[in-house]
Amino acid sequence: MSAARDPTSPAAPGANAAGLTRADYRGAPSTLCPGCGHDSITNHLQTALFEADISPLRAAKFSGIGCSSKTTNYFMNQSHGLNAVHGRMPAIATGALLANHTLLGIGISGDGDTASIGLGHFVHILRRNVKLVYIIENNGVYGLTKGQFSATADLGTLSKAGERNELPAIDCCAVSILMGCGFVARSFSGDRKQLVPLLKAAMQHRGTAVIDVISPCVTFNDHAGSTRSYDYVKAHDEPLHEVGFTPGCAAHAVADDEGESPTEVELPDGSVIALRKLEREHDPRDREAALRLLEQARQRGELVTGLIYIDPASRPFHESLRLGATPLAMLPDEKLRPSREALQAIMAELA
Amino acid sequence: MPVNDFSILVATVNGTGSQTANLVLLRSIFRMGVPVGPKNVFPSNISGLPTWFFIRVSKDGYVARSGQVDLLVCLNPQTTARDIAALRAGAACFFEERLRDEIPVRDDVTFYPVPFTDLVAACCPVSRLRKLVVNMVYVGVVGWHIGLDRDLVRAEVKKAFAAKPQALDLNLAAVETGWAYAASNLPQSPELRIERLDATRDMIIIDGNSATALGCLFGGCSVLTWYPITPSTSLGDAFESYAERLRVDPESGERTVAIVQSEDELAEAGMAIAAGWAGARAMTATSGPGLSLMSELVGFAYYAEIPCVFVDVQRLGPSTGLPTRTAQGDLLQVVTLSHGDTQHVVLLPATMEECFAFAIRAFDLADRLQTPIFLLLDLDLGMNPWMSAQLEYPADPIDRGKVLTAGDLERLGGDWYRYADPDRDGIPYRTIPGTPHRAAAYFTRGSGHSEAALYTEDPRAYQKVVDRLTRKYETARALLPPPEIDRAPAARILIVAYGSSHPAVVEARDRLRSRNHLECSYCRIRALPLSDRLADLCAAHDVVFVVDQNRDGQMAQLLAIALAPSGCAARLRSIRQYDGWPLTADFVAEAIAGAAGSTTGRSDHLVARNREVEVQA
Ligand SMILES: Cc1ncc(C[n+]2csc(CCOP(=O)(O)OP(=O)(O)O)c2C)c(N)n1
Ligand code: SF4
Ligand SMILES: [Mg+2]
């Protein structure tokens, strides 16, 4: 329905390998509050999609309900989007990607959407390992219903009205690792340098790739005493590493001559995630270490960001179900309806 | 009691594996060409509670529950007293010889003690298996008594154990043991006899859940999501086992169907709806409690106009109710499931052929109308075995509805609105994600939207879309299976029924005609929204009896609304059964005859008594 650029027309200046410019990855204008972290994430996502040469016609966007969930409308308007009901994003993404597992699925959810009403679906999409980039835009509150604490709000954090949160936080990254997720990252909406390569890597992961992005809500959770304000997050952000991502085709062309060589994780398509160590040692291929890291961070009140855990060899759900190369949605009628003879054989058995 | 016209009841304890034996007995009678109407009444429990398997034998082809028992196999000490008390005068009763002292005396019943325990011990050396194998002993005893063809019984045992050959010999031996004992110690029944007929030629025996599952597979279903719940679980099971042979590439092992056991019914509905959105033919199967959980997502699918098939195999009661008892209590819930302005298309099959054909049609209707389609079964239809004509291969090709391809979009110059009505039938066009055209995409939302699929709070733009949905519902009315109407000449009474009430109504009409000299026309409703024809039909009769298997007469209520403009609503009389047992012709005939000022036969003692037992258990 949109009149966006035709990807088949001659490449415009600044076009990527898909023949599209950065502007082709835009969506409808955002209606979120100016300064909302979610808008920064949308912006970084557009950059990542553009730089990864994604064809919007081969992608689909999924979300639940919340300020965060609205953002599927704010990027890549040449992609189909399914903005369903509160908390069910993982279920609808699973269903749509069962119908067509060749689509690049991008799911956007909030901390309320994922960690409260949708927690059941969240853990089950991880168990199934549906190939999906799963972005949690985590502001510690329910933005759209005006600032109630969410289940990811830290113990002791204060609301805008000054009430203290008396309940412990659910750590979506720890939950993800425990549920067998093979790509678990945490980032900050304000950290373009870290988030963009993480997003690009997530798109290449063969399974559910969770990125829990701390995304301050300027309207309801950006005050002193909140552990999700811009000031607090900037002060407590402890990036694990500098993240670099090199797509499959270009993988070994990167020259790296400054300092220690980074930890490299190769994905099945040949892409490489290069992690250049900062303060501490962390090998994201070590599941136990990843859980330990999160627990230590919790005890120390730190916000560790970066690639926390990765298992590049994970098996996506459509393979577990042994679906063929042709998406179910594209099967011709003769594959969908068994033959007359098949029915006759069954009737003979029931006679 | 005439030959080929009586009822058998096997009263056992569940968890003892009697179902296979009962099916052997059933199929042996059926294979002798005699019509059968089985009903399995079982508890919601894994083992140790009473279960009753009724086999109605009817040369006239009546298959509703009869409510009368002529031959009892009495193997459940818990219910012995009541089971015997409920027998018809002149009935026969087989019981375990060792329990002789516990058998109540009735002079008008012929008692046949059988040493089941000794007989099974003789033919089954492994004591732990005897509890199972003893069932085949009664098959032999009853088979001899009612004059079954011994070779047919053997063939049915072989068929039943085709997949478990190691158990075959043991079970065959048990049948032979029972048969031999009966032949030398018991008489053959003078009246409860099966004699060969030719009334089941080319017929099959199948349960409604299997027939529906087959319909879904032949309807091109490519995604099934489900969560176990009685009585729909066996639909998922049947689908899975038929899919295993129909939808797996023998060479590559690749499947053309995805089957997902979800984490709950919210996910089940969400996955199926989204799969429909993405172009699969998607479905889910559930029962009342699951349907309640799905309601928000169903409203989303309705408003976002997403094709999806929902099978509801109804069970009894509000809340958990009685999961293993039948009812038609979800009708009103389904027709407007979800909050706000919603209305749904509902198909109401009554036979195995309709379970199959309507399932196929449900997928075409879902795609054509771009909306959830509900297929309403109930436990009686879904889980009981039914005699049926063979299921017929669909005559029409698959209909995918109004889907724009990249070529179509190119011809339109990319100019289309997802929620517009260019054909004036209320049905918009859609595109499938992944369509290789830059104008293919649209944004699907459950929030207020305009024809262009953009968020809107504008009253007119909002209302335009919901008014079109009403138009679409009108279009649906004409596409649905019409009511099946059988007008009796000069009849002043009309009976309206649907779903599993059908066989009881068919029999009740015959009985009202022969015993009460009452002619009744019959209208069987097969879909909602209701057909336009009903108003004229009701106007042509003085009284309209509406048969519902729910407490509040839900179909009667829908008819009252539909008939209000014609002024005929005052002619409606509601007949309601809602105790969970399959409807009997007696119940319907007595209600109508009573209301019509005449009287009929006896009331339904067995059911009433067995219900008491159930409450105590
Ligand atoms: C079933 C249901 N319950 C409640 C709501 C109201 N509601 C809308 S958004 C929301 C919370 C959103 O919080 P979050 O997912 O964190 O998103 P944010 O707005 O913070 O980005 C709630 C409770 C709803 N839409 N649906
Ligand atoms: S309320 Fe908070 S989360 Fe919602 S748009 Fe405004 S700043 Fe963002
Ligand atoms: Mg939030």
Side-chain angles (χ1 to χ4, degrees):
Chain A
M1 276 189 314
S2 65
R5 175 182 306 281
D6 181 349
T8 56
S9 67
N16 62 11
L20 302 174
T21 64
R22 175 73 173 59
D24 292 323
Y25 291 86
R26 287 203 203 121
S30 171
T31 59
L32 303 185
C33 308
C36 175
H38 301 347
D39 277 339
S40 310
I41 299 173
T42 302
N43 196 17
H44 303 326
L45 185 54
Q46 290 177 11
T47 304
L49 290 161
F50 166 69
E51 289 180 5
D53 306 318
I54 298 300
S55 163
L57 310 188
R58 309 275 330 126
K61 307 171 291 184
F62 308 100
S63 57
I65 296 290
C67 298
S68 37
S69 291
K70 289 184 180 191
T71 65
T72 41
N73 194 26
Y74 307 150
F75 64 91
M76 225 163 41
N77 61 4
Q78 287 185 61
S79 299
H80 278 75
L82 185 54
N83 172 215
V85 299
H86 195 21
R88 315 298 163 214
M89 186 283 278
I92 59 146
T94 301
L97 295 169
L98 279 178
N100 190 344
H101 60 268
T102 64
L103 295 172
L104 169 67
I106 298 179
I108 304 220
S109 182
D111 43 326
D113 207 56
T114 282
S116 289
I117 192 167
L119 189 65
H121 307 310
F122 176 53
V123 296
H124 284 279
I125 196 174
L126 299 173
R127 275 184 73 222
R128 293 191 181 103
N129 201 28
V130 175
K131 183 173 166 6
L132 173 76
V133 179
Y134 191 133
I135 300 166
I136 305 167
E137 303 192 344
N138 184 352
N139 52 17
V141 288
Y142 289 4
L144 195 57
T145 50
K146 306 202 167 193
Q148 302 83 359
F149 286 129
S150 80
T152 67
D154 289 319
L155 181 67
T157 190
L158 299 184
S159 76
K160 204 174 174 183
E163 308 150 55
R164 199 185 118 94
N165 177 35
E166 300 293 353
L167 298 177
I170 292 177
D171 182 335
C172 293
C173 289
V175 170
S176 300
I177 296 170
L178 288 171
M179 289 300 129
C181 180
F183 187 110
V184 182
R186 174 163 283 142
S187 192
F188 168 44
S189 59
D191 190 348
R192 189 192 70 82
K193 267 185 74 184
Q194 185 190 59
L195 185 51
V196 170
L198 283 175
L199 284 164
K200 286 196 266 184
M203 290 175 208
Q204 296 308 326
H205 179 62
R206 286 165 45 81
T208 314
V210 172
I211 311 183
D212 180 27
V213 189
I214 306 302
S215 173
C217 167
V218 288
T219 305
F220 298 111
N221 207 8
D222 197 26
H223 44 270
S226 160
T227 62
R228 288 285 189 283
S229 66
Y230 275 111
D231 287 348
Y232 186 95
V233 174
K234 280 180 195 150
H236 292 78
D237 187 2
E238 292 277 337
L240 288 168
H241 31 233
E242 276 173 20
V243 186
F245 177 78
T246 323
C249 47
H252 289 285
V254 266
D256 207 329
D257 44 27
E258 4 166 349
E260 242 183 284
S261 61
T263 305
E264 293 196 342
V265 182
E266 190 172 334
L267 300 182
D269 74 325
S271 313
V272 174
I273 309 173
L275 302 167
R276 183 176 299 284
K277 177 182 130 189
L278 294 171
E279 303 288 292
R280 64 179 105 193
E281 292 288 347
H282 175 60
D283 182 353
R285 287 163 297 198
D286 183 339
R287 196 163 178 244
E288 264 182 68
L291 282 167
R292 235 181 356 257
L293 174 78
L294 291 172
E295 177 55 20
Q296 283 165 1
R298 188 187 68 81
Q299 288 173 14
R300 296 182 195 148
E302 288 169 351
L303 188 66
V304 288
T305 58
L307 184 62
I308 293 167
Y309 177 64
I310 185 160
D311 170 13
S314 69
R315 183 171 75 150
F317 192 42
H318 60 268
E319 286 183 11
S320 308
L321 289 173
R322 297 214 269 156
L323 301 183
T326 310
L328 295 174
M330 308 292 163
L331 289 173
D333 291 357
E334 59 275 15
K335 288 259 183 195
L336 290 175
R337 172 167 291 167
S339 68
R340 190 178 288 275
E341 293 67 39
L343 184 62
Q344 278 163 356
I346 293 167
M347 290 305 106
E349 288 164 23
L350 298 171
Chain B
M1 190 48 34
V3 167
N4 290 341
D5 194 4
F6 59 93
S7 276
I8 300 171
L9 167 59
V10 180
T12 50
V13 176
N14 80 320
T16 55
S18 56
Q19 183 74 349
T20 315
N22 295 334
L23 290 176
V24 167
L25 203 52
L26 173 80
R27 289 193 47 89
S28 301
I29 300 169
F30 168 77
R31 292 287 298 275
M32 286 182 72
V34 183
V36 283
K39 297 289 175 208
N40 186 18
V41 180
F42 57 104
S44 176
N45 155 284
I46 302 302
S47 101
L49 286 183
T51 159
W52 294 275
F53 194 86
F54 297 85
I55 301 177
R56 178 168 187 188
V57 178
S58 168
K59 62 180 179 355
D60 301 318
Y62 294 132
V63 295
R65 187 167 68 86
S66 92
Q68 160 171 306
V69 176
D70 307 293
L71 189 161
L72 171 67
V73 179
C74 179
L75 290 177
N76 183 1
Q78 285 173 286
T79 62
T80 294
R82 286 173 169 80
D83 289 339
I84 289 175
L87 289 174
R88 169 187 72 84
C93 171
F94 296 83
F95 66 97
E96 165 58 51
E97 196 173 40
R98 295 183 181 192
L99 300 179
R100 189 184 286 275
D101 295 343
E102 288 160 45
I103 298 297
V105 183
R106 257 190 77 172
D107 297 339
D108 57 350
V109 170
T110 313
F111 288 98
Y112 298 110
V114 179
F116 286 112
T117 312
D118 301 336
L119 291 174
V120 73
C123 65
C124 179
V126 187
S127 56
R128 127 189 97 75
L129 295 177
R130 287 180 192 154
K131 186 177 86 162
L132 304 172
V133 175
V134 71
N135 298 306
M136 287 297 171
V137 178
Y138 72 66
V139 170
V141 171
V142 173
W144 150 263
H145 186 72
I146 64 175
L148 291 185
D149 178 328
R150 195 172 183 170
D151 289 333
L152 268 184
V153 178
R154 284 192 190 114
E156 285 302 325
V157 177
K158 283 184 191 147
K159 191 167 172 172
F161 288 94
K164 287 181 242 162
Q166 69 287 4
L168 175 63
D169 287 345
L170 196 55
N171 282 280
L172 273 177
V175 172
E176 297 298 338
T177 303
W179 195 287
Y181 173 84
S184 39
N185 295 284
L186 304 175
Q188 278 197 311
S189 173
E191 47 181 18
L192 305 179
R193 293 195 54 75
I194 301 294
E195 284 175 10
R196 274 187 187 277
L197 278 184
D198 190 17
T200 66
R201 184 189 292 266
D202 292 333
M203 297 194 94
I204 57 168
I205 290 186
I206 192 169
D207 59 86
N209 281 350
S210 297
T212 305
L214 275 173
C216 294
L217 283 162
F218 281 84
C221 175
S222 51
V223 172
L224 164 71
T225 63
W226 68 293
Y227 186 83
I229 182 167
T230 306
S232 74
T233 303
S234 60
L235 200 161
D237 291 341
F239 187 102
E240 195 149 5
S241 67
Y242 282 124
E244 209 49 48
R245 65 193 261 203
L246 296 173
R247 301 288 287 278
V248 180
D249 185 302
E251 274 144 48
S252 64
E254 284 175 0
R255 277 131 223 268
T256 57
V257 63
I259 303 174
V260 182
Q261 186 186 323
S262 61
E263 57 270 29
D264 57 29
E265 283 86 351
L266 302 160
E268 178 182 338
M271 287 178 196
I273 290 165
W277 173 83
R281 296 202 121 194
M283 69 171 291
T284 163
T286 188
S287 188
L291 203 70
S292 294
L293 283 181
M294 292 178 181
S295 109
E296 187 193 14
L297 280 147
V298 166
F300 168 70
Y302 166 78
Y303 186 39
E305 302 185 60
I306 300 176
C308 189
V309 173
F310 290 80
V311 183
D312 173 19
V313 189
Q314 299 166 98
R315 63 193 220 180
L316 181 69
S319 188
T320 301
L322 290 177
T324 62
R325 295 296 145 86
T326 195
Q328 298 177 320
D330 297 349
L331 192 71
L332 283 181
Q333 186 201 15
V334 159
V335 76
T336 60
L337 189 64
S338 206
H339 54 276
D341 289 320
T342 54
Q343 45 191 2
H344 302 298
V345 174
V346 186
L347 299 176
L348 300 165
T351 64
M352 297 300 104
E353 290 166 278
E354 284 183 350
C355 284
F356 180 73
F358 286 11
I360 294 172
R361 199 145 166 193
F363 286 92
D364 290 339
L365 284 168
D367 270 346
R368 172 66 32 198
L369 293 165
Q370 298 175 29
T371 198
I373 303 289
F374 290 86
L375 191 61
L376 228 64
L377 276 66
D378 60 28
L379 183 139
D380 184 13
L381 267 183
M383 288 192 74
N384 279 316
W386 293 75
M387 207 176 62
S388 168
Q390 299 205 1
L391 308 177
E392 269 179 43
Y393 197 74
D396 298 325
I398 285 176
D399 176 13
R400 298 304 320 253
K402 298 188 190 179
V403 176
L404 296 175
T405 62
D408 297 332
L409 291 166
E410 198 54 39
R411 272 190 296 283
L412 291 167
D415 189 14
W416 72 290
Y417 278 166
R418 168 66 179 100
Y419 295 119
D421 189 12
D423 303 335
R424 304 255 128 244
D425 57 1
I427 308 173
Y429 283 80
R430 66 179 185 135
T431 55
I432 304 296
T435 302
H437 193 280
R438 70 191 189 285
Y442 65 96
F443 194 77
T444 308
R445 44 158 63 85
S447 48
H449 47 261
S450 64
E451 289 192 322
L454 301 175
Y455 179 72
T456 185
E457 296 180 2
D458 176 79
R460 271 188 298 183
Y462 167 81
Q463 203 171 320
K464 197 164 184 194
V465 172
V466 288
D467 285 343
R468 181 181 49 71
L469 287 172
T470 311
R471 233 165 25 245
K472 183 162 88 168
Y473 203 56
E474 282 309 313
T475 299
R477 208 187 288 277
L479 296 178
L480 301 179
E484 207 175 62
I485 297 168
D486 180 11
R487 284 188 72 159
R492 293 166 56 199
I493 297 174
L494 169 67
I495 307 176
V496 177
Y498 59 101
S500 69
S501 301
H502 177 56
V505 173
V506 168
E507 187 182 351
R509 281 180 84 203
D510 290 351
R511 183 154 336 153
L512 288 165
R513 183 179 305 118
S514 61
R515 293 195 197 160
N516 305 83
H517 309 292
L518 286 175
E519 285 289 346
C520 305
S521 297
Y522 178 29
C523 168
R524 186 163 65 80
I525 292 174
R526 302 197 297 169
L528 299 176
L530 291 169
S531 156
D532 297 331
R533 293 201 224 162
L534 290 170
D536 286 347
L537 185 68
C538 293
H541 294 83
D542 295 344
V543 197
V544 180
F545 289 98
V546 186
V547 182
D548 267 295
Q549 296 181 52
N550 52 61
R551 187 191 63 188
D552 301 331
Q554 298 185 11
M555 184 62 90
Q557 291 185 39
L558 287 175
L559 276 165
I561 296 169
L563 296 180
S566 72
C568 294
R571 299 174 192 200
L572 296 172
R573 302 277 179 281
S574 171
I575 298 180
R576 304 180 292 264
Q577 189 201 268
Y578 48 94
D579 65 2
W581 283 57
L583 190 64
T584 61
D586 284 353
F587 186 87
V588 177
E590 279 167 25
I592 292 175
S598 21
T599 49
T600 51
R602 18 151 304 287
S603 60
D604 205 340
H605 300 294
L606 179 81
V607 175
R609 281 154 207 254
N610 280 338
R611 260 202 324 271
E612 269 168 52
V613 175
E614 194 58 0
V615 171
Q616 286 161 6

